[in-house]
Amino acid sequence: MNNKFYKFFDQIKDDLGVRKSSFIKIFKYLDELKGPINIVETGCLRIKDNYAGDGQSTLLFDKYTLSREPGSKVYTVDIDQNATKICKSVVSENVEVNTGDSVQYLIELMKRLKLEGKKISLFYLDSFDVNWQFPHQSAAHHLKELTAIIDSISENTLVVVDDAPIFLPMQIENKKYQAITQHPAPGAFVGGKGYLINEYANTCGAKIFFSNYQTAWIGFKKK
Ligand SMILES: C[S@@+](CC[C@H](N)C(=O)[O-])C[C@H]1O[C@@H](n2cnc3c(N)ncnc32)[C@H](O)[C@@H]1O
């Protein structure tokens, strides 16, 4: 299955840098789902061929859905019209590219997809660039996105946040890194764009599916 997609993906996956292993996991997860596959993304491809910097997610999702069952589709939004213009020039017409604020867009899109009876396989949240020293604004924006989509999450929906790495307090001795695990050092935690979504996941029982540079959760919707 998906030979056409993996022919493309195998050529570019090494360029994905810190996102390589998580994109492999995302597509493996989607491979296990019965189609059609609907992907909703916030923050679209804004620079051509910038695999290592941003990820080129919209292009990857475009190629993936084109290789799946008919009716598979990508929906993406970006507040910057230059970004959506570049994105449209790179992806196929199977991607609905919208310009506007992601939270407002998601609220309207979720109403429309519900009327159309469509289920979302993957939410990929990657808007509002993160300031690593002060991630609160970006994390709050991504939590707002989650509130806009929460009723559209089903048992199989994967929620992925980019730039949401797992952190662990470290010490360096003799140029060797070692995790500080003793009390009162905190345990591993998700930071960046995803830290408030992870707080919510912890309280509602959603589980981390993977976490390295990107973090993914399943189980926001209880069976
Ligand atoms: C990191 S980039 C997205 C990269 C893309 N996912 C990729 O893999 O190439 C983040 C994008 O989010 C957009 N953005 C920032 N605030 C936003 C908002 N409130 N609503 C929608 N998009 C927003 C920015 O314009 C920017 O293009």
Side-chain angles (χ1 to χ4, degrees):
M1 187 170 75
N2 269 325
N3 285 342
K4 205 169 161 203
F5 170 73
Y6 283 108
K7 221 170 163 183
F8 157 78
F9 187 68
D10 287 346
Q11 280 172 1
I12 59 88
K13 68 183 180 196
D14 288 337
D15 299 335
L16 291 170
V18 287
R19 297 181 181 85
K20 176 182 166 182
S21 65
S22 42
F23 270 122
I24 290 172
K25 287 182 180 139
I26 290 170
F27 294 120
K28 203 167 167 224
Y29 180 85
L30 294 176
D31 284 347
E32 299 296 321
L33 297 184
K34 290 200 173 78
I37 298 294
N38 289 303
I39 299 177
V40 176
E41 172 189 74
T42 64
C44 72
L45 180 162
R46 58 182 168 181
I47 305 167
K48 267 186 188 175
D49 298 324
N50 189 19
Y51 285 99
D54 276 343
Q56 301 284 283
S57 53
T58 326
L59 179 64
L60 301 185
F61 299 146
D62 183 26
K63 300 270 188 204
Y64 186 81
T65 48
L66 286 174
S67 76
R68 289 293 304 252
E69 294 82 343
S72 299
K73 198 166 168 62
V74 182
Y75 304 82
T76 189
V77 62
D78 201 291
I79 205 160
D80 178 355
Q81 62 181 13
N82 285 325
T84 52
K85 195 174 160 197
I86 289 164
C87 187
K88 278 181 191 165
S89 75
V90 172
V91 299
S92 80
E93 291 197 347
N94 198 42
V95 181
E96 219 180 89
V97 185
N98 297 272
T99 306
D101 173 67
S102 57
V103 179
Q104 286 170 356
Y105 170 73
L106 288 171
I107 290 169
E108 293 308 316
L109 181 68
M110 292 308 108
K111 286 185 207 160
R112 173 153 67 96
L113 296 187
K114 191 177 177 188
L115 284 175
E116 291 173 10
K118 288 190 174 168
K119 284 198 165 185
I120 319 299
S121 323
L122 168 68
F123 283 104
Y124 184 82
L125 309 182
D126 185 22
S127 61
F128 209 125
D129 287 318
V130 65
N131 173 334
W132 291 109
Q133 270 68 48
F134 304 98
H136 322 290
Q137 240 189 321
S138 175
H141 183 80
H142 288 85
L143 185 63
K144 283 188 222 167
E145 291 183 348
L146 188 76
T147 65
I149 61 176
I150 196 83
D151 290 337
S152 305
I153 293 176
S154 67
E155 292 135 38
N156 293 328
T157 308
L158 188 66
V159 178
V160 178
V161 181
D162 191 28
D163 308 304
I166 193 149
F167 287 104
L168 187 61
M170 302 291 274
Q171 62 189 4
I172 311 169
E173 273 171 21
N174 303 326
K175 293 188 180 167
K176 284 196 176 141
Y177 292 86
Q178 202 182 358
I180 304 172
T181 51
Q182 307 94 312
H183 185 74
F189 60 95
V190 171
K193 291 179 179 177
Y195 95 80
L196 288 175
I197 290 186
N198 194 52
E199 294 282 317
Y200 178 67
N202 287 340
T203 55
C204 78
K207 296 275 175 271
I208 289 182
F209 181 68
F210 63 71
S211 185
N212 37 53
Y213 182 73
Q214 307 180 306
T215 295
W217 297 263
I218 41 171
F220 280 110
K221 166 95 173 193
K222 290 285 152 249
K223 287 184 185 169

